[in-house]
């Protein structure tokens, strides 16, 4: 649905309109929030934060100019996610995230490890992409977003049992491919 | 297990390229209605923007009211301070003032009590009231009219037949008699402020005082102590005929016919005679044998007063009846002196 269609839906029925808006923009907002807090928070933390963001959007919906809905939502999500990250990590909110990241990457050994990890992640993602849809999505939803079978099934519009079966098969296939990849075997990632 | 651990590491990656790869490979999870309902409930519990505006407006209005109230109070205080005398009296002066204030307050209160019913006439008349407050005959202009109207009606039954002390019926004099001391205190200052002067009019046996807005006629006779017994008079003249004599509380009245018209003469005992008259009134001296009196002309009304041996006579008519009234006055002779004729001086 376009933004104008969503606004019309809200004008007809506020709750149903907001429900459509929520469904449409939830992945976008969740992605922003999760990418910010995934290292320190849980899936439940992200869901709570997302629900707060949408509640605030609902209350300020009339003030949002036409065509600026997604931008407003993205800005709001980032601010809320940063605040949640600081709260969960116990950091000083006044300290910029970039400085923290720089602090974490201060040592040369750490840099080498990160480069090596980045290379492995890139290779891993290539093998995952080679699995094709929906196996790649199932694996990422499970291991990156932390979703369970039911949530994956709802996202991919599949039956939960099917999700579990395909996940099992996808893991087996991925293990075979990683075992054949020297990057992983030489580094001892895959025995 | 190992491969699962490797996949979980993706969650903690800081590699932007890896994150972009993940974003392109996999959509974010879809929500369920439970999450939407949670957001909806939070939205419902959030104060409505309109309500927030209302609260904010009420707060601003309250602040404005408070500010205006404070400013008004400060301004009023400042005004009070500015209206105070520039120099505060010295402590000793303050004490003196405090000591003298009770008396001043009493005088002021007394003045308030007595000033309201006072007329100008009674104010001036209160000076002799100090000495003999109970024996003063106060007759204001209005009282004169009332007394005369009573006198022109022969059967007066309100006052006792023999009254040693003649008092005017008007209320101001009554109040002055009941409260002589406060009235004296209160009126001493106004009396000195508007000190009367001797008027140009000369009346035999009377002193005429000029006040700013009226005149006062005071009989200078030494009135004997009233004993309640009025002397008997005969009325005898060429064109005068006595019709009836009536003893009443206010005195004795004589119905006398003169020139085809009947007049009523009132005879009274007086302890003192003070009469306030308007400035526009005309006073005409009247000389009689062993008595003295005057005409008081007010418009078309003519009143004749004359006194003899501590007793006073009063008669009222029109200015056209002046000759008849004079003839009646001349015809009044004490019974014991009936044989002696009265004549104009």
């Amino acid at each position: 649905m376009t933004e104008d269609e969503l606004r019309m839906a809200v004008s007809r029925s506020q709750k149903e309109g907001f429900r459509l808006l929520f469904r449409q923009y939830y992945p976008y907002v969740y992605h922003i929030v999760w990418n910010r807090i995934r290292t320190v928070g849980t899936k439940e933390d992200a869901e709570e934060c997302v629900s707060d963001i949408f509640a605030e959007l609902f209350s300020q919906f009339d003030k949002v100019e036409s065509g600026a809905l997604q931008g407003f939502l993205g800005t709001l999500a980032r601010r809320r996610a940063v605040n949640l990250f600081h709260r969960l990590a116990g950091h000083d909110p006044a300290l910029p995230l970039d400085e923290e990241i720089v602090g974490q990457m201060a040592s040369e050994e750490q840099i080498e490890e990160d480069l090596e990890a980045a290379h492995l992640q890139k290779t891993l993602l290539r093998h995952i992409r080679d699995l094709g849809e929906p196996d790649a999505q199932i694996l990422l939803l499970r291991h990156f977003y932390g979703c369970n079978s039911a949530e994956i099934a709802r996202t991919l519009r599949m039956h939960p049992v099917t999700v579990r079966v395909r996940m099992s098969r996808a893991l087996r296939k991925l293990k075979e491919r990683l075992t054949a990849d020297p990057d992983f075997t030489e580094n001892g990632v895959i025995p | 297990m190992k491969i699962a651990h490797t996949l979980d590491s993706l969650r903690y990656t800081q590699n932007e390229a890896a994150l972009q790869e993940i974003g392109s490979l996999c959509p974010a999870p879809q929500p369920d209605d439970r999450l939407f309902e949670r957001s909806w409930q939070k939205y419902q519990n959030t104060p409505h923007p309109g309500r927030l505006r209302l609260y904010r407006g009420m707060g601003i209005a309250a602040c404005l009211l408070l500010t205006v109230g404070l400013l008004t109070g400060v301004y009023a205080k400042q005004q009070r301070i500015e209206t105070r005398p520039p120099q505060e009296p010295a402590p000793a002066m303050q004490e003196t003032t405090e000591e003298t204030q009770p008396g001043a307050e009493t005088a002021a209160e007394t003045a308030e009590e007595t000033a309201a019913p006072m007329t100008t006439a009674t104010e001036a008349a209160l000076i002799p009231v100090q000495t003999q407050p109970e024996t003063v005959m106060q007759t204001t202009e209005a009282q004169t009219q009332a007394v005369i109207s009573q006198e022109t009606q022969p059967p007066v039954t309100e006052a006792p037949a023999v009254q040693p002390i003649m008092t005017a019926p008007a209320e101001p004099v009554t109040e002055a008699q009941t409260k002589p001391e406060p009235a004296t205190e209160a009126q001493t200052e106004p009396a000195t402020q508007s000190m009367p002067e001797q008027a140009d009019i000369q009346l035999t046996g009377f002193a005429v005082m000029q006040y700013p807005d009226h005149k006062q006629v005071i009989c200078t006779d030494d009135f004997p102590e009233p004993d309640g017994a009025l002397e008997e008079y005969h009325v005898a003249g060429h064109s005068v005929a006595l019709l009836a004599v009536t003893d009443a509380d206010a005195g004795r009245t004589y119905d006398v016919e003169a020139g085809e018209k009947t007049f009523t003469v009132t005879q009274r005992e007086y302890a003192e005679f003070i009469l306030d008259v308007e400035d526009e009134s005309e006073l005409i001296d009247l000389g009689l044998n062993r008595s003295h009196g005057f005409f008081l002309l007010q418009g078309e009304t003519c009143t004749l007063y004359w006194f003899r041996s501590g007793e006073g006579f009063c008669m009222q008519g029109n200015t056209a009846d002046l000759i008849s009234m004079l003839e009646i006055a001349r015809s009044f002779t004490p019974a014991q002196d009936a044989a002696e004729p009265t004549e104009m001086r």
Side-chain angles (χ1 to χ4, degrees):
Chain A
M1 293 180 76
T2 64
E3 184 182 328
D4 290 339
E5 290 172 341
L6 284 171
R7 288 183 180 275
M8 288 184 64
V10 171
S11 64
R12 282 194 300 270
S13 172
Q14 191 182 48
K15 185 172 183 179
E16 291 309 311
F18 282 156
R19 191 190 303 275
L20 292 173
L21 189 151
F22 184 84
R23 285 176 182 167
Q24 177 148 334
Y25 288 104
Y26 179 86
Y28 171 66
V29 174
Y30 188 88
H31 183 73
I32 294 172
V33 173
W34 180 249
N35 271 326
R36 183 61 68 190
I37 71 161
R38 61 193 154 80
T39 56
V40 292
T42 62
K43 185 169 64 75
E44 287 73 22
D45 294 331
E47 288 177 349
E48 190 67 28
C49 182
V50 170
S51 68
D52 288 341
I53 291 167
F54 275 97
E56 187 169 345
L57 172 67
F58 295 161
S59 64
Q60 299 187 26
F61 184 76
D62 295 336
K63 296 178 182 175
V64 181
E65 295 180 359
S66 180
L69 185 61
Q70 186 165 345
F72 175 82
L73 202 51
T75 304
L76 185 63
R78 276 187 283 275
R79 288 179 182 173
R80 286 300 185 101
V82 168
N83 289 340
L84 178 61
F85 173 83
H86 284 300
R87 193 166 70 244
L88 292 172
H91 291 165
D92 183 1
L95 192 63
L97 281 175
D98 293 343
E99 292 185 10
E100 295 176 9
I101 294 168
V102 169
Q104 290 171 2
M105 299 173 66
S107 66
E108 287 187 9
E109 291 180 358
Q110 186 67 37
I111 292 172
E112 287 180 6
E113 287 178 6
D114 289 338
L115 286 173
E116 189 177 344
H119 177 70
L120 288 174
Q121 285 168 356
K122 186 177 180 181
T123 307
L124 177 63
L125 286 172
R126 179 168 53 82
H127 287 298
I128 291 173
R129 189 193 315 120
D130 291 342
L131 291 174
E133 293 183 358
D135 290 352
Q137 294 173 328
I138 291 173
L139 289 178
L140 288 175
L141 284 170
R142 176 69 184 90
H143 293 280
F144 182 78
Y145 286 110
C147 296
N148 56 31
S149 299
E151 291 166 343
I152 296 171
R154 184 172 60 246
T155 302
L156 301 178
R157 301 179 188 279
M158 297 170 70
H159 196 277
V161 176
T162 307
V163 169
R164 280 193 287 271
V165 171
R166 294 197 72 102
M167 188 185 298
S168 177
R169 290 177 184 172
L171 281 174
R172 194 167 57 245
K173 276 195 227 179
L174 183 62
K175 187 177 181 180
E176 290 172 357
R177 295 184 182 189
L178 292 179
T179 305
D181 191 327
D183 287 341
F184 284 87
T185 51
E186 288 175 4
N187 288 299
V189 177
I190 301 297
Chain B
M1 288 295 291
K2 190 68 177 177
I3 193 160
H5 182 72
T6 304
L7 286 170
D8 285 342
S9 67
L10 289 173
R11 177 177 168 180
Y12 303 99
T13 183
Q14 301 292 340
N15 189 348
E16 285 296 322
L19 291 173
Q20 287 181 1
E21 183 78 17
I22 292 170
S24 63
L25 279 176
C26 173
Q30 285 291 329
D32 57 2
D33 279 348
R34 177 184 54 86
L35 289 173
F36 170 73
E37 291 297 335
R38 194 190 301 177
S39 295
W40 180 255
Q41 287 300 323
K42 287 179 179 177
Y43 164 64
Q44 294 290 334
N45 294 333
T46 305
H48 197 270
R51 214 174 301 162
L52 282 175
R53 279 197 294 272
L54 176 66
Y55 294 154
R56 194 179 299 128
M58 290 172 66
I60 291 170
C63 288
L64 281 174
L65 279 173
L66 185 63
T67 306
V68 169
L70 286 173
L71 288 176
T72 307
V74 169
Y75 178 75
K77 184 82 173 175
Q78 191 178 9
Q79 289 294 106
R80 280 199 297 273
I81 292 171
E82 286 177 355
T83 53
R84 279 185 185 172
Q87 290 182 346
E88 292 289 335
M93 290 290 290
Q94 286 181 348
E95 289 177 8
T96 307
T97 307
E98 287 172 3
E99 288 173 5
T100 55
Q101 269 183 348
E105 286 177 4
T106 307
E109 289 173 5
T110 310
E112 286 177 5
E113 288 176 8
T114 58
M118 292 293 178
T119 62
T120 309
T122 53
E123 286 176 11
L126 279 170
I127 298 173
V129 167
Q130 286 182 33
T131 54
Q132 291 181 341
E134 294 181 354
T135 59
V136 173
M137 168 58 191
Q138 287 297 323
T139 312
T140 62
E141 182 183 343
Q143 292 162 11
T144 305
Q145 299 288 342
V147 169
I148 290 168
S149 64
Q150 287 178 0
E151 291 171 354
T152 52
Q153 297 171 2
V156 178
T157 56
E158 293 180 357
V162 178
Q163 194 172 10
I165 301 169
M166 299 299 291
T167 57
E171 289 182 0
V173 178
T174 306
E175 179 150 346
Q177 290 172 347
T178 53
K179 297 178 178 181
E181 291 182 2
T184 303
E185 287 184 14
Q187 297 306 317
T188 301
E189 192 173 351
T192 54
Q193 285 177 352
S194 58
M195 187 66 72
E197 297 176 355
Q198 188 81 27
D200 295 335
I201 303 167
Q202 297 294 327
L203 296 179
T204 306
F206 299 91
V208 182
M209 308 303 293
Q210 180 65 57
Y211 284 86
D213 55 347
H214 72 288
K215 289 192 282 286
Q216 192 173 65
V217 182
I218 304 169
C219 186
T220 55
D221 288 356
D222 290 329
F223 291 95
E225 191 72 20
D227 56 0
L230 291 171
E231 188 173 352
E232 291 185 1
Y233 277 80
H234 286 179
V235 181
H238 299 295
S239 57
V240 177
L242 179 64
L243 301 179
V245 179
T246 308
D247 285 327
D249 295 341
R252 182 177 296 162
T253 59
Y254 300 81
D255 294 337
V256 183
E257 187 181 38
E260 300 179 354
K261 196 169 181 179
T262 304
F263 298 88
T264 302
V265 179
T266 304
Q267 178 189 6
R268 286 178 174 175
E269 280 186 313
Y270 286 91
E272 190 169 312
F273 179 84
I274 301 173
L275 176 66
D276 290 324
V277 298
E278 293 179 354
D279 262 344
E280 294 78 15
S281 302
E282 189 176 354
L283 296 168
I284 300 173
D285 190 18
L286 178 63
L288 296 171
N289 186 24
R290 290 191 289 180
S291 64
H292 47 267
F294 63 94
F295 278 107
L296 172 64
L297 303 179
Q298 292 175 304
E300 293 298 316
T301 305
C302 173
T303 310
L304 173 59
Y305 296 92
W306 76 94
F307 291 83
R308 180 173 176 152
S309 305
E311 294 180 352
F313 298 84
C314 176
M315 176 172 47
Q316 193 173 36
N318 292 328
T319 51
D321 305 324
L322 198 134
I323 301 299
S324 301
M325 293 168 70
L326 179 60
E327 186 65 25
I328 291 171
R330 291 176 59 185
S331 66
F332 266 72
T333 51
Q336 59 185 4
D337 299 340
E340 299 179 8
T342 56
E343 56 185 35
M344 291 292 291
R345 197 180 292 173

